[in-house]
Amino acid sequence: MSDSYYKRTDLPKFAEISEGAPGLASKFFDYYGAVFAEGALSEREKALIALAVAHAVQCPYCIDAYTQACLEKGSNNEEMTEAVHVSCAIRGGASLVHGVQMKNIAEKISF
Amino acid sequence: MDRFKTVLTENNIELTRAETLVLQINVGLECNLACRHCHLSAGPTRKERMSRQTAEQLVAFASKFSFHTIDITGGAPELNPNLPFLIENLAPYAKNLILRSNATLLGEETYSDLVELCRKHQVVITISFPAISEIQADSQRGTGVFDQSLSVLKKLNDLGYGREGTGLELNLVSNPTGAFMPSDQKQLEKRFKEVLQNKWGLECSNVFSFANVPLGRFKEWLEKSGNFAAYMDKLIKAFNPCAVSGAMCRSIISVDWDGYLYDCDFNLAIRLPLGGEPLHFSELQELPGPGSSIAVSDHCFACTAGSGFT
């Protein structure tokens, strides 16, 4: 075992996951490819969304892959940084909005 | 150094010349910019320039053969004082005459006559325009270059270049601003045209998207920044057998400022000669025919990655 759970060289091995369940992997990768194809949203816009989600789920593989994808699709540093802020705002907002639950409970059990 | 040859063999592909239709002329390596992706390491300290004598011989050479396209490049071709002579005298010998420009000097008053000359001969102007982001463009080409390029685009648009119905073609070439692959050309063109129009009221005819070639100043940067191996890996993984048949080296001969011949401007950058031995255009009796060999090296992966470099 390596000393680290995450290794840059593991990303290109993603396709090897199909070895355990090729039928499921095939369905997943077909779906994945279709999701990122040009549609109502451009490939560039989808890569920016993926970059934001990658930060929300804090996946280093996805951050690496979609940083490069965003640049290759023609996005720039300002756009990519704003996408990360969107992720940050939603994560932060999700924490903060649960404060309503805290308030509800505190109010219920307090004089 | 033979990985490209190996990959061709593995894919059962023989890369040979087709009909030679394009004469590319590199008039010198002097340039007012020193772009970080430049495969020729062109810049202000380079003094290599095509002489008048070579330019005159080249006109005679072009008159002898029938080229569909003559493509003038550099460096910054504008800095060679023989450029107006070449445009004036080469125009009758090609259906399509292209001038490549870094889109800064053409905005200067000194070059107004040159722009008029291009207009008179319906010269296609192809300018470097890596990104629609000022920060990205300037990181590749130097501070303030993006704004200068917008001014040049405006000037050319005002003269009819890039405007529909004028017959004056204005093309943009976008190279990635780092060690990553180029954007899909169709999508990039759509976005560039939208942003140029909406933000600045500017127009162009076509947008081309090409990979950076790991040679010259770009190779130096790749090595210094620790990106060389990963970038080569990306190019190799993106090898597209279908792109080989459309590679520009199959239909072009490239003449350096000193008159020596190459299969393309990238082989010219590393002095990898056409036919294997240094050959001056004045010694060429006939154009290399279909089926003749093309000199290759590992930088050729840049032209076969994805949709290729045509």
Side-chain angles (χ1 to χ4, degrees):
Chain A
M1 280 295 283
S2 70
D3 291 336
S4 167
Y5 284 110
Y6 289 121
K7 281 167 66 188
R8 174 184 281 267
T9 49
D10 282 344
L11 179 55
K13 296 179 189 167
F14 188 17
E16 293 174 16
I17 203 71
S18 65
E19 288 165 12
L24 292 175
S26 168
K27 283 185 166 68
F28 173 79
F29 287 117
D30 285 349
Y31 167 76
Y32 194 99
V35 164
F36 282 96
E38 184 99 356
L41 293 174
S42 68
E43 288 183 10
R44 190 184 78 87
E45 289 162 337
K46 289 179 180 181
L48 282 167
I49 293 170
L51 182 71
V53 175
H55 282 78
V57 298
Q58 297 182 331
C59 168
Y61 300 124
C62 310
I63 292 171
D64 185 351
Y66 283 96
T67 298
Q68 300 201 46
C70 283
L71 289 168
E72 289 173 3
K73 306 284 176 208
S75 291
N76 59 46
N77 187 48
E78 295 96 309
E79 292 165 325
M80 290 157 67
T81 307
E82 284 186 18
V84 173
H85 276 289
V86 170
S87 166
C88 173
I90 293 296
R91 275 181 74 101
S95 292
L96 199 59
V97 76
H98 281 77
V100 177
Q101 290 196 21
M102 174 274 288
K103 277 172 62 68
N104 289 344
I105 294 164
E107 279 167 13
K108 187 176 171 63
I109 61 174
S110 302
F111 293 118
Chain B
M1 281 299 282
D2 285 313
R3 276 181 295 177
F4 188 73
K5 278 184 191 165
T6 306
V7 169
L8 286 183
T9 308
E10 283 168 359
N11 283 274
N12 215 10
I13 295 171
E14 206 182 339
L15 175 58
T16 55
R17 299 191 67 91
E19 190 186 353
T20 300
L21 299 169
V22 182
L23 171 66
Q24 187 170 53
I25 304 169
N26 192 313
V27 296
L29 300 180
E30 190 177 7
C31 188
N32 57 318
L33 304 179
C35 298
R36 295 169 86 171
H37 73 302
C38 184
H39 62 276
L40 288 157
S41 303
T45 59
R46 303 297 297 266
K47 298 300 168 205
E48 298 93 330
R49 251 187 204 179
M50 181 172 282
S51 67
R52 179 62 171 225
Q53 191 191 5
T54 304
E56 284 170 4
Q57 288 174 344
L58 202 48
V59 170
F61 173 79
S63 71
K64 212 165 98 183
F65 299 103
S66 176
F67 292 104
H68 177 274
T69 298
I70 297 179
D71 180 349
I72 302 174
T73 187
E78 299 94 324
L79 293 173
N80 187 319
N82 298 309
L83 180 62
F85 167 83
L86 282 169
I87 290 175
E88 192 81 64
N89 291 281
L90 287 172
Y93 301 119
K95 288 189 184 78
N96 195 27
L97 182 59
I98 302 171
L99 173 65
R100 292 180 192 258
S101 164
N102 65 27
T104 56
L105 296 169
L106 289 181
E108 294 179 10
E109 196 48 44
T110 326
Y111 296 100
S112 289
D113 290 348
L114 178 67
V115 178
E116 276 305 323
L117 187 66
C118 288
R119 198 158 76 139
K120 178 180 150 197
H121 291 290
Q122 303 246 307
V123 174
V124 174
I125 297 183
T126 297
I127 66 172
S128 309
F129 199 87
I132 44 174
S133 150
E134 180 178 357
I135 293 174
Q136 281 181 315
D138 284 0
S139 73
Q140 182 185 92
R141 313 184 68 213
T143 307
V145 174
F146 183 73
D147 280 343
Q148 286 181 62
S149 303
L150 290 181
S151 303
V152 167
L153 270 178
K154 186 175 181 325
K155 179 176 176 175
L156 292 172
N157 276 180
D158 289 347
L159 289 166
Y161 265 103
R163 301 283 192 202
E164 255 188 67
T166 61
L168 296 168
E169 197 173 320
L170 173 61
N171 299 323
L172 309 188
V173 172
S174 167
N175 287 87
T177 56
F180 51 91
M181 299 297 287
S183 303
D184 172 82
Q185 188 161 292
K186 212 169 140 195
Q187 291 174 29
L188 188 86
E189 179 174 273
K190 186 176 166 217
R191 183 148 180 269
F192 269 36
K193 284 186 169 180
E194 274 171 13
V195 175
L196 285 171
Q197 179 62 259
N198 296 340
K199 238 175 156 174
W200 299 290
L202 298 170
E203 286 183 273
C204 66
S205 313
N206 302 289
V207 180
F208 300 117
S209 175
F210 296 131
N212 287 320
V213 180
L215 296 173
R217 195 176 291 118
F218 182 57
K219 186 180 182 188
E220 281 170 28
W221 175 82
L222 285 172
E223 287 173 338
K224 213 182 285 177
S225 61
N227 280 304
F228 183 74
Y231 185 69
M232 286 306 300
D233 203 37
K234 266 183 212 175
L235 292 180
I236 293 167
K237 279 193 179 132
F239 177 78
N240 174 11
C242 301
V244 176
S245 62
M248 67 168 175
C249 57
R250 300 195 65 224
S251 58
I252 198 172
I253 52 168
S254 197
V255 183
D256 204 357
W257 61 274
D258 58 5
Y260 282 87
L261 290 166
Y262 301 89
D263 289 297
C264 70
D265 201 51
F266 306 122
N267 284 0
L268 178 154
I270 55 166
R271 300 206 151 256
L272 183 62
L274 180 143
E277 294 290 331
L279 177 68
H280 195 274
F281 70 81
S282 58
E283 300 167 78
L284 199 69
Q285 300 305 315
E286 55 186 32
L287 295 177
S292 53
S293 67
I294 295 172
V296 295
S297 188
D298 282 355
H299 63 269
C300 301
F301 279 115
C303 292
T304 54
S307 51
F309 200 141
T310 54

